[in-house]
Every structure is written in structure tokens, then in C-alpha cells.
Amino acid sequence: MYDIIVIGAGPAGMTAALYAKRAGKDVLLMEKEYPGGQIVNSPLVENYPALPGVSGADFAENLQKQVTELGVPFEYTEACSLEKKDDVFVINGEEKLSAKAIVLATGVFHRGLNLPREEELVGMGISYCAVCDGAFYRGRDAIVIGGGDTALQDAVYLSGLCRTVYLIHRREAFRASAVLVEKARQRENIVFKTPCVPKEYVTNAYGITGIVLENTKDGTQETLEADGIFLAVGLSPQNEFARSLVALTPEGYLEADENGFTSVPGLFAAGDCRAKKVRQLTTAVGDGAAAATAACDYLDQI
Ligand code: NAP
């Protein structure tokens, strides 16, 4: 039985573990994939105070090292369901784990466009991670789809590797930060395609060779040739395993306040999995600190 189990080892979860361990609690970090979460896909974090230009992977590695050196154990396993019985939380999965308090820091995962054959083309030209797969397209043409920070960041990163980067977005305006949009506009090899929606992937026996686009303003269609397509069309939460216990928004985010309190005593939420407006590295680590502090206060009172 742990004092606190933190589910999810992204920046929010690892920060929560750091704070809880430093407060003297017995903490376990549970992670179903790899430590770091989405930030490991970020080539350059330019807006984290006092650490300009750190890569997402380096940030995650340093945080993991800091948490590990404090003595927080990591358990690489998936939480399949969550129950609360007599003030004890039980996490069911490959093994059963129990704790007096839980911090949910499950993050978000990439959404697709749901075009035909999309799933089978991942790894055959379709990617969700420019940092991981960009080098495959060095000197070749690539497409980025989306208009948020991820898409603009990916386009700028890929423009340093690829011959041409087509940035496809369904609106003329971008939701990405103005700084990133301006940076992308200054790259001569980024070609903006707006307002355009992808209609179908073009393939040969080896995978992607391009995409069919429709301009939503004039209805014209064109086929763009490219070797790689990077999807950056947003993120979805992954909290279904906890649905029977805790309130979720219609989109599946955890209903929790800024201190991490959910509708269930002893169950806290931190980071991108929480219903909130701003999802940044800064807000993730802030959430982790707040939720861990609230969890420690809860433990001190029961
Ligand atoms: P996002 O902000 O939700 O943007 C998703 C983009 O995909 C939007 O432009 C959206 O278009 C477009 N889109 C969604 N569904 C689509 C569809 N079916 N077809 C075509 N386009 C579609 O997602 P994100 O860029 O991954 O960012 C997620 C969060 O992480 C945000 O809070 C972001 O600020 C943060 N983030 C921050 C940084 C940074 O600070 N450097 C870097 C990466 C991510 P519409 O705009 O028309 O809705």
C-alpha cells in the first residue's frame, strides 16, 4: 500500500511525485509507455521560464533523473480501472496496486483525421512525431497538417531538414502562438496551404506519396506530392479507465479545480488530463506541484 500513486509520468506526474516524495510520502509513479509524455516530441521548448531552448527530450530526461535520484520507483504498467473501497484506491491492471491517495496525470494522446487507411499508414509515411521521424524525410518533401502550436513547431523543425514543407490548415487564422506563426512564415521552404482540408491519402505499395486537398473557399482540389505526412490535429484525453469513479467532461477531461481536487476525496488531477484552458509545460508542472501538495494535505488529515 502506497501513500500516493501518481498515474502518468509526464511533466505533471513527475513533478507531483517529486513534491510528494520531498514531503516524505511513499510514492509510486505508474506509466504505461515511457517517461516524459508529449513533451519528448517537442524539438525546442522556447517558452519555459529560465530554460530557453531546452529540448523536450532533455527536459523529460532531467526530470526523470531528478525523481529517480530522490528514490521514487517507476512501475511500467497500464491502469485498466480504478476503484475506491473503504478509503483505499485500487488500480486494476496487469497487477493490482493500492494507495491512500491518487494523482491522475494521464496526459493526452494524438488524434488522427480518420481518413481511410490512416492507421495502417502510420510508419509508412504517416507520423505523429516530427522529432522522432523527421530525419527519414531529410532532403525530401513533407506535409504537416494542423494549425496549433504543435503543427507550427513541427513545420519549423522539419523546414530545417526537408526540401519543402507544406503546412495544411483548415482555416486562414492559426490558433498557434503568433511567434511560431511568424517564425514559420519566415522560412522560405514552408508553403502555407489554407484554408484547405485533407480529403484522402495518396499511396503506392510502399506507403504515402501525397495527399488530396480541398480548398474550402473555392472548392478546388489538388494533389500534393510528399513522402511524409505529420498529423498535428490536436490531442484527446485518456481517462476512460477512471470514468466509473470520477466526473469527466463530455470530451473526457477530468473535472478538477486548480488545486487538483476532483469530485472524489483523495483523488487528484494534474496536467493536460484536467479540464482547463492552457495546456503548456509550465501549467503541467504547476498542476503537478499543486495536486501533490493537496494530496499530502489530504493524507495528513485522514
Ligand atoms: P490544438 O491546439 O488543439 O490544435 C489542433 C489543430 O488541428 C487546430 O488548428 C485545429 O484546427 C486542427 N484540427 C483539428 N481537427 C482537425 C481536423 N479534423 N481536420 C483538420 N484540422 C483539424 O493541438 P496542438 O497544436 O497539438 O496543441 C495542444 C496543446 O499543447 C495546446 O494547448 C498547445 O498550446 C500546447 N502546445 C504548446 C506548445 C508550445 O508552447 N511551444 C507546443 C506544442 C503544443 P482549428 O484551429 O480550426 O480548430
Side-chain angles (χ1 to χ4, degrees), residues 142-162:
I143 289 169
V144 175
I145 302 174
D149 285 328
T150 303
L152 272 290
Q153 199 176 45
D154 285 357
V156 169
Y157 176 75
L158 291 167
S159 71
L161 296 170
C162 301

Side-chain angles (χ1 to χ4, degrees), residues 42 47 111 113 145-151 153 169-171 175 180 198 232-235 277-280:
S42 198
N47 54 5
R111 278 203 301 259
L113 286 168
I145 302 174
D149 285 328
T150 303
Q153 199 176 45
H169 179 39
R170 62 186 177 184
R171 293 187 295 132
R175 73 170 62 220
L180 276 173
V233 292
L235 306 159
K277 194 155 178 240
V278 182
R279 292 193 170 81
Q280 297 279 306

Side-chain angles (χ1 to χ4, degrees), residues 126-145:
I126 291 185
S127 169
Y128 292 96
C129 178
V131 176
C132 321
D133 299 331
F136 293 128
Y137 306 101
R138 193 181 292 275
R140 295 154 77 188
D141 298 333
I143 289 169
V144 175
I145 302 174

Side-chain angles (χ1 to χ4, degrees), residues 2-299:
Y2 291 92
D3 290 331
I4 302 175
I5 294 180
V6 179
I7 305 181
M14 288 199 278
T15 303
L18 183 79
Y19 272 67
K21 186 71 185 176
R22 283 172 56 87
K25 304 303 180 202
D26 188 19
V27 189
L28 176 76
L29 250 171
M30 220 178 137
E31 169 58 50
K32 69 173 181 177
E33 284 178 288
Y34 47 83
Q38 296 297 325
I39 200 63
V40 301
N41 299 331
S42 198
L44 205 59
V45 180
E46 292 176 279
N47 54 5
Y48 194 87
L51 277 184
V54 67
S55 81
D58 284 349
F59 184 92
E61 197 181 319
N62 281 336
L63 183 49
Q64 184 190 0
K65 189 165 171 271
Q66 191 176 5
V67 172
T68 305
E69 283 175 1
L70 262 185
V72 175
F74 283 66
E75 184 82 40
Y76 290 95
T77 185
E78 183 170 1
C80 296
S81 69
L82 179 62
E83 304 166 85
K84 188 180 183 192
K85 286 181 197 156
D86 305 327
D87 282 344
V88 173
F89 290 93
V90 177
I91 301 166
N92 299 299
E94 264 180 22
E95 41 188 319
K96 236 182 195 6
L97 296 164
S98 53
K100 294 176 215 159
I102 299 282
V103 176
L104 291 171
T106 48
V108 284
F109 68 97
H110 293 291
R111 278 203 301 259
L113 286 168
N114 291 325
L115 289 177
R117 300 190 56 214
E118 192 164 275
E119 280 298 303
E120 69 189 82
L121 290 165
V122 173
M124 295 174 68
I126 291 185
S127 169
Y128 292 96
C129 178
V131 176
C132 321
D133 299 331
F136 293 128
Y137 306 101
R138 193 181 292 275
R140 295 154 77 188
D141 298 333
I143 289 169
V144 175
I145 302 174
D149 285 328
T150 303
L152 272 290
Q153 199 176 45
D154 285 357
V156 169
Y157 176 75
L158 291 167
S159 71
L161 296 170
C162 301
R163 185 172 48 192
T164 305
V165 178
Y166 297 101
L167 179 64
I168 299 170
H169 179 39
R170 62 186 177 184
R171 293 187 295 132
E172 303 270 19
F174 287 88
R175 73 170 62 220
S177 71
V179 174
L180 276 173
V181 176
E182 187 48 34
K183 209 169 185 180
R185 290 212 185 273
Q186 281 172 7
R187 297 291 167 104
E188 283 179 1
N189 61 339
I190 298 182
V191 179
F192 284 68
K193 290 281 182 185
T194 63
C196 288
V197 289
K199 299 302 282 184
E200 64 180 283
Y201 298 118
V202 184
T203 58
N204 64 15
Y206 305 103
I208 288 288
T209 60
I211 199 163
V212 178
L213 289 187
E214 184 176 288
N215 183 307
T216 55
K217 214 171 184 176
D218 59 21
T220 54
Q221 288 204 351
E222 69 174 310
T223 301
L224 285 182
E225 289 183 6
D227 306 291
I229 297 180
F230 291 85
L231 299 182
V233 292
L235 306 159
S236 296
Q238 35 196 348
N239 299 316
E240 284 310 308
F241 72 98
R243 186 180 277 283
S244 61
L245 185 63
V246 64
L248 303 181
T249 66
E251 298 79 31
Y253 290 99
L254 289 152
E255 302 263 23
D257 73 7
E258 62 181 20
N259 294 311
F261 285 96
T262 68
S263 53
V264 181
L267 183 62
F268 302 87
D272 287 359
C273 63
R274 179 169 84 80
K276 60 177 180 172
K277 194 155 178 240
V278 182
R279 292 193 170 81
Q280 297 279 306
L281 188 52
T282 44
T283 59
V285 299
D287 268 15
T293 304
C296 292
D297 288 349
Y298 166 82
L299 289 173

